[in-house]
Every structure is written in structure tokens, then in C-alpha cells.
């Protein structure tokens, strides 16, 4: 069209080769300043802030190639005296390959984040609620806290809530990764997006919109996928140095071909018979430009920049599908460096539901003592207090005055004018209560059986002792055994007496214990281990362990369904299963393996291809195609992570 305009309107008749050159130059300009303009702008911005990125190499290569076309046109039209081989066509092809590679890469990267898409599709579109005694179907956006939903077999539970009526079997695999349905009855919590397999239930809504568990998980995964890990910072620093080095190398390549062509050209002549794109008959300046251009394009470190984030996106997505939420991307790398796992006992290694399994009364009526103790304990939220209330089974309790709770020790209150204490030995010391020989003897016997001792005192007199036990979670011993097989040390923190803690540790195989530890002392023990040179992963329930989780090199919080404490720790195991620790280790190992593979291939590609370009054996267009292919290969390699089982 340009040629027709020049010929018909201006009356200037151009030679065919000049028409072709004009078409290639204008075509290249269109590609570069049209679809490829964002690359040029990106390069200009990075150069402005003295932080050259990978787009700089593509921008310089295409613009310099376009300039050769302009100079050639000027020479043909008599505007310049400099004659130069035109690489304008190559400029257009380089940018076209670059944009095509970016498009494929974007599509592939999009597929690496399929986990987010899957999570988004889990949300129900509507809900059936009871309104004015009638069943009514409403949009999920109109659902409000307090509404009672009807969920029939095969339906998604529209929002987080608790069962108020009925009995159902719910598929929570999208939360925990476990395929077996979970029975849900009255007062049990359910998660929006899970599926009621059988049975009909009525659910009272507790959370809607952005506050639902599903939306919090989506947000958490998105944040993790956008975060950086230490090895990525290393790659970024390499790129910051790499680009200026390549610019210098391209300049030196150009100078070398100008200064010593007689040493380099024989290589081209030797390779010409079996490498079709070799141009051994170019003039010296054009050949120097050809080689320098190939160096610029082939060295674009796109694959290096993609190596870590693409693997991280796939890894965090896999984690979400298996009940493992990675809050901070750096956890993927830090889990590879851990030397010691520290476990809170209650609720982590054990079920966290203490039971009063032994009760010995020394004086007075046993039922009256149980009523008094239950009356005081009912004002406390501690799990041990709940155990006492369940054990007594007494519904009619006394009024309690001057109630006090002592962290890590026990409780105190006044019942019918009498001062009642229920707690451990520290509480007795604080109130100067003497433990008689018979009580000491009974307590020692219970401790040897693995019980935690709670002393029961009325008006300063030892009235009885109770033995409390906390059952070990089913998978805890297998998890500890697997951790030891992998070469890690294990430590247990507990507020229990030392003897009871030793019995639990012996049953599950823990290496080291710290007994009698109060919640506010746990972080100090973590610090003590770190000073010994250990890299510590703290595993806790995410509530009273929050300071220790934050102090550890990496915090792993065990949650249970909607109660997951996503503010605590770097990794959250949703279902509270101890074997989730092993899954997290497997996820970290497989993800980091992909990151290392990606970085290796990105570096290997540049190490091999740059020297080939320097000696003039690489065509710039093929160099760009190879560069684009290396980026796509890195993304595809990351996606293969999805086939791994953790």
C-alpha cells in the first residue's frame, strides 16, 4: 500500500527491491510500535530507573534492526552515504516471536493457577432458607447471618454455619483433601462449598460473602502466589546483573567481529554447508551486527524470571486442594531448611479433649465435692474445666463468687462461703496448701500411669485428686516416625507434669520434651533452640501458640474447618490431622525441586546458547524462538508438578 501511494500519488517509481525493503521496514515499524509497543515502554521505564529488565534486550534488538532498514532505505534514496545490510524483516520476526511466546506463556501461566478457578466454582449460586415458616429460594448474595438454610442430599452447602437440625454426610475433600465424607449433626460446623452427600440438614448461617472460609482460602492462595521466596530474590538479583552484562557482551561481540573478522569468519565458512541460515558473505559491519543482535535476543532471561513464580503458583494451588494453605511463599523454601520440629502437645499431638479418668476423694461427700468443683470450673473456658463439667454430669450447680483463673495453673472460687481450688502443684504453692502424704502417694501412682494431676482443695484442706488424660491422635505416632526417618529432630512442649509428659513422649517417640511450660513461655523455648543453631518449625493449634508460631523460623498451625487461625503461622493444616505435616513437607520438596529444575534449565540454556550466538552461528529469529521456547518449557515443567502425589 505504501508503494502504491508513492507510485500513484507522488509519481515516484521505485525499483522492486526498494519496494520490498520499504514494505519490510514499514511492516517492522508497525509490529514494533503497534502490538510490541508495551515491550518498548517497559524497557524504557526500566532504563529510566536504572533497573534494566529482560524487555530491554528485546527492545534494543528490534529497534536496532529497524534502524538498519531505515538506513538502507536512506542509502537507496540517496539520503545517506552509508550502505548497510537491512535487518528490518528480522526485527518484525523477532517481535512477532516474542509476542507469540508471551501469549503462550500467559496462557500456560493461567493454567498453572487452576486451583483458584476450581475454588471459585465451589461457591453455590443460591440457597433455600426458612422465612416466615415457608421455604424460599434466594440468591447467595441475599443470604444473611442468622438465616436457616435447608440443604438436601447432593446439594452444596451455600455458606459457613452450624447444623441446627438433621443429620448429614458431608464431602469436605475440597477443604481437607480427604475423600471420606464426615457425619454432621446438631451443633457441628459446616463449610460453604462442601457437598451434603446424604441426609437432609438445616444450617444456621454464621458467615457470608468475603468472611466465608472459602473466600478467605481464595484470598490466602492469591497472596501466597503473589509472594516471593528467598531463591526468587536471588534470581531477580541475577537478572539485574545479567542484563547489563549481556549488553556489554553484545557490544564486545560487535567490536570483535569488526576488529578480528579473519579469526571468526572461518567458523562461518566451515558451518555454512550444514547450517542453512549462515550468511558468510555479509560485509564486516553487517556480520558484526548480525552476531551482536543474536546475543541480545538469545540471552533474554525470561525463563529465569519465570522459574520460581510459576512453580510457586502450582505448588500453593496443590496445597489448597489438599488442605494445606501456604500463607507465605517463603515457607516452601524454609521447610527445606528446617532441622527441628517443635510440637505443642494438647490439640496437636493429642486430641485436645482432656477427660477426667480418675477421681479420688479424701474427705467429705464425693458428690458434693464434684458439684463444688464443677461449679467453679464452669466459669472457665479451659479444656480441662470442660472435662470436669462433663465428668460430674451435675446440672444444678452452685453460684460462685470471686472467681479467678490462673494461666497454666488452675482456678479458684468461693462456693457457699468456702474457698475452692482446682489446679496443679504451682497453684497449691501460690496459696501455701500442704499436700498430705496420702495425696502425694495417690498422685504419684496416677502420674506413673500417664495422668495429669489436678488437686482439689476446699478451705485449704486437700479434699481429693483427679487424673486427667488426653488421648493421642490416631496418626501422631506414624507422623513422628516419618519425620525421624527424614532426619529431623522432634521436641514436645506441654504444660503437663514432667512424668506425664515423658509417658506421652515415649508412646509417640519424641526426642526431647519441655514440661510444665506455660503458654507465654513457649516462644522463649523456641528462641533457646534457635540459639543452639536449630532451624525450627513450630507446629501448634494456632490459638494460644500464636507467639511461638510467630517466633519460629516457620509456623505450622493446625486448624479444624472454619476455626482455622489463618493469622498464625506460615502454613495452615485445615483438618488438624498430624499427617498434614508430612504432606506439607512433601509439597515443599516437590515444589522446590521444580524450582531448582527450572533455574537449572534457564541457566543451562543461556550458558550453551550465548557462545553460539557470539561466534555468529545463531540466527536472531531462531534465537528469539529458542528464547520463547525456553520460557514455555519452564512453565510447562512447573505444571507437571500437578501430577505429583503428596
Amino acid at each position: 500500500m505504501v508503494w502504491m501511494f508513492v507510485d500513484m500519488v507522488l509519481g515516484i517509481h521505485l525499483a522492486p527491491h526498494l519496494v520490498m525493503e520499504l514494505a519490510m521496514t514499514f511492516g517492522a515499524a508497525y509490529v514494533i510500535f503497534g502490538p510490541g509497543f508495551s515491550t518498548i515502554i517497559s524497557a524504557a521505564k526500566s532504563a529510566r530507573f536504572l533497573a534494566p529488565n529482560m524487555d530491554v534486550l528485546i527492545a534494543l534488538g528490534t529497534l536496532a534492526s529497524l534502524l538498519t532498514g531505515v538506513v538502507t532505505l536512506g542509502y537507496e534514496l540517496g539520503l545517506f552515504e552509508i550502505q548497510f545490510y537491512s535487518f528490518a524483516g528480522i526485527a518484525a520476526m523477532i517481535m512477532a516471536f516474542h509476542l507469540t511466546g508471551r501469549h503462550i506463556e500467559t496462557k500456560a501461566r493461567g493454567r498453572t493457577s487452576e486451583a483458584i478457578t476450581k475454588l471459585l466454582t465451589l461457591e453455590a449460586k443460591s440457597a433455600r432458607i426458612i422465612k416466615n415458616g415457608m421455604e424460599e429460594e434466594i440468591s447467595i448474595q441475599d443470604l444473611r447471618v442468622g438465616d436457616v438454610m435447608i440443604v438436601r442430599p447432593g446439594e452444596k452447602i451455600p455458606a459457613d454455619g452450624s447444623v441446627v437440625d438433621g443429620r448429614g454426610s458431608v464431602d469436605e475433600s475440597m477443604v481437607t483433601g480427604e475423600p471420606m465424607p464426615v457425619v454432621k449433626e446438631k451443633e457441628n460446623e459446616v463449610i460453604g462449598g462442601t457437598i451434603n452427600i446424604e441426609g437432609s440438614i438445616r444450617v444456621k448461617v454464621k458467615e457470608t460473602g468475603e468472611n466465608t472460609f472459602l473466600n478467605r482460602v481464595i484470598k490466602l492462595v492469591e497472596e501466597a502466589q503473589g509472594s516471593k521466596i528467598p531463591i526468587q530474590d536471588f534470581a531477580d538479583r541475577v537478572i539485574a546483573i545479567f542484563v547489563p552484562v549481556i549488553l556489554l557482551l553484545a557490544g564486545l561481540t560487535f567490536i570483535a567481529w569488526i576488529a578480528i573478522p579473519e579469526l571468526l569468519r572461518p567458523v562461518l565458512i566451515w558451518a555454512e554447508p550444514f547450517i542453512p541460515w549462515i550468511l558468510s558473505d555479509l560485509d564486516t559491519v553487517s556480520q558484526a551486527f548480525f552476531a551482536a543482535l543474536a546475543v541480545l535476543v538469545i540471552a533474554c532471561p525470561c525463563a529465569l524470571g519465570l522459574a520460581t513464580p510459576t512453580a510457586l503458583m502450582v505448588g500453593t494451588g496443590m496445597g489448597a486442594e489438599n488442605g494445606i494453605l501456604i500463607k507465605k511463599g517463603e515457607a516452601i523454601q524454609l521447610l527445606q531448611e528446617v532441622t527441628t520440629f517443635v510440637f505443642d502437645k494438647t490439640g496437636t499431638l493429642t486430641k485436645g479433649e482432656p477427660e477426667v479418668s480418675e477421681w479420688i476423694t479424701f474427705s467429705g461427700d464425693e458428690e458434693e465435692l464434684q458439684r463444688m468443683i464443677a461449679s467453679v470450673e464452669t466459669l472457665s473456658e479451659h479444656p480441662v474445666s470442660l472435662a470436669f463439667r462433663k465428668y460430674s454430669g451435675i446440672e444444678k450447680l452452685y453460684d460462685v463468687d470471686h472467681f479467678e483463673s490462673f494461666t497454666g495453673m488452675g482456678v479458684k472460687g468461693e462456693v457457699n462461703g468456702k474457698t475452692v481450688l482446682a489446679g496443679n502443684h504451682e497453684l497449691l504453692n501460690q496459696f501455701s496448701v500442704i499436700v498430705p502424704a496420702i495425696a502425694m502417694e495417690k498422685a504419684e501412682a496416677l502420674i506413673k500411669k500417664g495422668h495429669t494431676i489436678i488437686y482439689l482443695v476446699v478451705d485449704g484442706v486437700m479434699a481429693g485428686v483427679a487424673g486427667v488424660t488426653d488421648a493421642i491422635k490416631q496418626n501422631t505416632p506414624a507422623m513422628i516416625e516419618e519425620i525421624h526417618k527424614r532426619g529431623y529432630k522432634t521436641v514436645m512442649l506441654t504444660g503437663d507434669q514432667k512424668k506425664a509428659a515423658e509417658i506421652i513422649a515415649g508412646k509417640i517417640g519424641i526426642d526431647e520434651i519441655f514440661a510444665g511450660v506455660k503458654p507465654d513461655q513457649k516462644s522463649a523455648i523456641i528462641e533457646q533452640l534457635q540459639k543452639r543453631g536449630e532451624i525450627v518449625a513450630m507446629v501448634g493449634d494456632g490459638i494460644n501458640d500464636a507467639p511461638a508460631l510467630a517466633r519460629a523460623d516457620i509456623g505450622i498451625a493446625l486448624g479444624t474447618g472454619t476455626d482455622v487461625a489463618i493469622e498464625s503461622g506460615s502454613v495452615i493444616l485445615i483438618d488438624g490431622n498430624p499427617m498434614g505435616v508430612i504432606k506439607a513437607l512433601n509439597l515443599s520438596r516437590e515444589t522446590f525441586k521444580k524450582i531448582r529444575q527450572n533455574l537449572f534449565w534457564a541457566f543451562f540454556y543461556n550458558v550453551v546458547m550465548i557462545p553460539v550466538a557470539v561466534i555468529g552461528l545463531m540466527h536472531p529469529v531462531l534465537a528469539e524462538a529458542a528464547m520463547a521456547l525456553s520460557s514455555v518449557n519452564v512453565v510447562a515443567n512447573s505444571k507437571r508438578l500437578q501430577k505429583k502425589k503428596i
Side-chain angles (χ1 to χ4, degrees):
M1 291 180 66
V2 175
W3 167 73
M4 290 175 65
F5 174 80
V6 172
D7 189 15
M8 295 175 64
V9 179
L10 301 180
I12 301 175
H13 299 283
L14 301 176
H17 75 280
L18 193 55
V19 172
M20 183 64 70
E21 186 60 48
L22 191 63
M24 285 194 299
T25 302
F26 274 90
Y30 169 77
V31 173
I32 293 170
F33 294 105
F37 192 59
S38 60
T39 299
I40 305 300
I41 293 298
S42 172
K45 286 181 178 178
S46 70
R48 176 186 175 188
F49 294 106
L50 300 178
N53 61 20
M54 54 196 77
D55 287 333
V56 169
L57 302 180
I58 297 297
L60 284 177
T62 53
L63 289 175
S65 300
L66 178 63
L67 184 61
T68 64
V70 174
V71 171
T72 300
L73 277 176
Y75 176 81
E76 293 288 348
L77 295 173
L79 300 176
F80 301 131
E81 294 183 0
I82 302 173
Q83 184 177 10
F84 201 73
Y85 185 87
S86 175
F87 294 98
I90 289 178
M93 294 173 70
I94 289 173
M95 185 58 77
F97 267 110
H98 173 68
L99 296 175
T100 301
R102 282 288 173 89
H103 175 72
I104 296 172
E105 169 199 316
T106 301
K107 288 285 187 182
R109 289 185 71 177
R111 288 193 293 272
T112 64
S113 192
E114 286 174 356
I116 292 291
T117 305
K118 287 180 181 178
L119 289 171
L120 289 170
T121 61
L122 291 172
E123 191 173 43
K125 304 300 180 187
S126 62
R128 279 195 298 274
I129 65 170
I130 304 297
K131 191 172 183 180
N132 299 323
M134 301 290 289
E135 183 178 321
E136 180 180 337
E137 186 168 347
I138 62 172
S139 170
I140 194 72
Q141 285 78 20
D142 297 328
L143 204 58
R144 297 290 180 265
V145 173
D147 286 343
V148 176
M149 307 177 292
I150 298 175
V151 187
R152 295 190 173 91
E155 295 180 345
K156 287 182 180 179
I157 297 172
D160 298 352
S162 59
V163 178
V164 293
D165 188 33
R167 189 174 190 270
S169 184
V170 178
D171 177 4
E172 293 187 333
S173 58
M174 74 92 173
V175 173
T176 64
E178 299 297 331
M180 294 300 294
V182 181
V183 174
K184 297 291 183 180
E185 300 175 305
K186 190 174 181 179
E187 296 185 1
N188 289 158
E189 291 192 344
V190 293
I191 300 170
T194 56
I195 301 172
N196 184 29
I197 302 297
E198 61 180 0
S200 188
I201 55 176
R202 294 192 179 194
V203 178
K204 187 174 183 179
V205 178
K206 293 181 68 176
E207 299 288 355
T208 62
E210 293 183 357
N211 295 322
T212 63
F213 173 82
L214 183 60
N215 279 301
R216 285 188 291 153
V217 169
I218 290 171
K219 183 179 179 182
L220 195 65
V221 174
E222 286 175 337
E223 288 176 353
Q225 291 182 342
S227 63
K228 284 190 175 183
I229 64 177
I231 198 169
Q232 187 176 346
D233 289 333
F234 166 74
D236 291 343
R237 289 195 299 271
V238 169
I239 290 173
I241 298 170
F242 185 77
V243 173
V245 168
I246 291 302
L247 292 175
L248 177 62
L249 181 61
L252 293 175
T253 299
F254 184 84
I255 292 171
W257 275 95
I258 295 291
I260 51 172
E262 65 278 0
L263 293 180
L264 297 172
R265 195 175 294 276
V267 177
L268 299 184
I269 296 172
W270 166 81
E272 192 170 18
F274 48 89
I275 301 181
W277 59 80
I278 295 294
L279 300 173
S280 61
D281 57 345
L282 290 178
D283 62 88
T284 301
V285 175
S286 295
Q287 186 62 63
F289 183 88
F290 184 88
L293 177 59
V295 171
L296 280 177
V297 176
I298 197 80
C300 182
C302 299
L304 193 59
L306 291 169
T308 299
T310 52
L312 187 61
M313 288 175 74
V314 177
T316 52
M318 282 181 63
E321 293 173 359
N322 286 273
I324 304 166
L325 298 183
I326 308 295
K327 184 181 176 185
K328 299 176 182 177
E330 65 183 15
I332 293 287
Q333 181 170 344
L334 288 174
L335 272 171
Q336 298 296 298
E337 302 169 2
V338 168
T339 60
T340 300
F341 277 87
V342 176
F343 296 90
D344 169 58
K345 180 183 78 70
T346 305
T348 302
L349 299 174
T350 64
K351 292 180 179 179
E353 299 175 358
E355 298 178 350
V356 177
S357 52
E358 297 278 355
W359 184 291
I360 302 171
T361 301
F362 300 127
S363 62
D365 180 69
E366 184 168 305
E367 184 177 342
E368 177 66 9
L369 179 61
Q370 287 186 11
R371 190 187 302 274
M372 294 175 71
I373 296 298
S375 298
V376 176
E377 293 284 9
T378 197
L379 298 179
S380 172
E381 295 298 324
H382 196 280
V384 171
S385 297
L386 178 61
F388 274 102
R389 296 200 297 273
K390 285 184 177 180
Y391 180 79
S392 72
I394 300 172
E395 294 184 6
K396 189 176 180 180
L397 301 174
Y398 295 125
D399 292 331
V400 178
D401 297 319
H402 308 298
F403 172 80
E404 288 183 78
S405 178
F406 300 87
T407 303
M409 292 188 284
V411 294
K412 167 185 171 292
E414 288 188 13
V415 179
N416 296 334
K418 297 179 179 180
T419 301
V420 176
L421 299 176
N424 59 21
H425 213 283
E426 286 185 66
L427 186 68
L428 302 188
N429 290 338
Q430 184 160 327
F431 288 92
S432 303
V433 176
I434 298 173
V435 182
I438 183 64
M440 188 70 73
E441 181 183 333
K442 296 293 183 181
E444 288 293 333
L446 291 176
I447 289 173
K448 288 179 181 179
K449 292 165 63 176
H451 292 72
T452 296
I453 303 304
I454 303 296
Y455 295 97
L456 313 172
V457 179
V458 179
D459 278 344
V461 177
M462 184 66 60
V465 295
V468 178
T469 57
D470 186 6
I472 297 169
K473 286 183 179 179
Q474 184 178 358
N475 295 321
T476 293
M479 179 266 293
I480 296 296
E481 182 181 0
E482 182 63 26
I483 283 179
H484 286 155
K485 282 181 181 178
R486 300 187 184 200
Y488 300 104
K489 300 174 187 175
T490 54
V491 176
M492 183 177 77
L493 304 182
T494 178
D496 287 351
Q497 292 99 332
K498 186 175 181 181
K499 185 64 179 177
E502 287 175 345
I503 291 173
I504 294 288
K507 288 180 179 178
I508 61 178
I510 289 284
D511 294 327
E512 184 177 1
I513 62 170
F514 290 86
V517 179
K518 296 176 184 177
D520 58 353
Q521 296 174 331
K522 292 179 180 179
S523 59
I525 292 173
I526 298 294
E527 187 175 3
Q528 178 183 332
L529 292 170
Q530 289 170 329
K531 286 180 179 178
R532 280 169 25 184
E534 305 291 350
I535 298 175
V536 179
M538 169 69 189
V539 186
D541 61 17
I543 303 171
N544 62 350
D545 297 319
L549 289 168
R551 183 71 184 94
D553 296 284
I554 179 168
I556 303 176
L558 272 67
T560 306
T562 56
D563 289 335
V564 59
I566 63 174
E567 291 80 14
S568 303
S570 306
V571 178
I572 299 96
L573 307 180
I574 296 172
D575 67 350
N577 188 334
M579 289 305 290
V581 175
I582 304 302
K583 281 189 175 183
L585 282 171
N586 292 341
L587 177 67
S588 169
R589 180 189 63 203
E590 295 298 336
T591 303
F592 206 68
K593 185 188 296 183
K594 284 298 177 188
I595 290 173
R596 287 197 296 264
Q597 288 174 0
N598 289 345
L599 290 173
F600 169 78
W601 286 114
F603 278 116
F604 178 79
Y605 158 81
N606 281 296
V607 168
V608 171
M609 301 303 278
I610 289 175
V612 176
V614 168
I615 60 177
L617 297 180
M618 177 57 67
H619 194 288
V621 172
L622 291 177
E624 172 56 32
M627 185 277 293
L629 183 63
S630 72
S631 297
V632 173
N633 177 58
V634 162
V635 176
N637 187 49
S638 295
K639 187 170 172 56
R640 284 193 284 271
L641 178 61
Q642 292 176 331
K643 297 179 181 178
K644 299 288 184 179
K645 289 187 178 182
I646 60 171

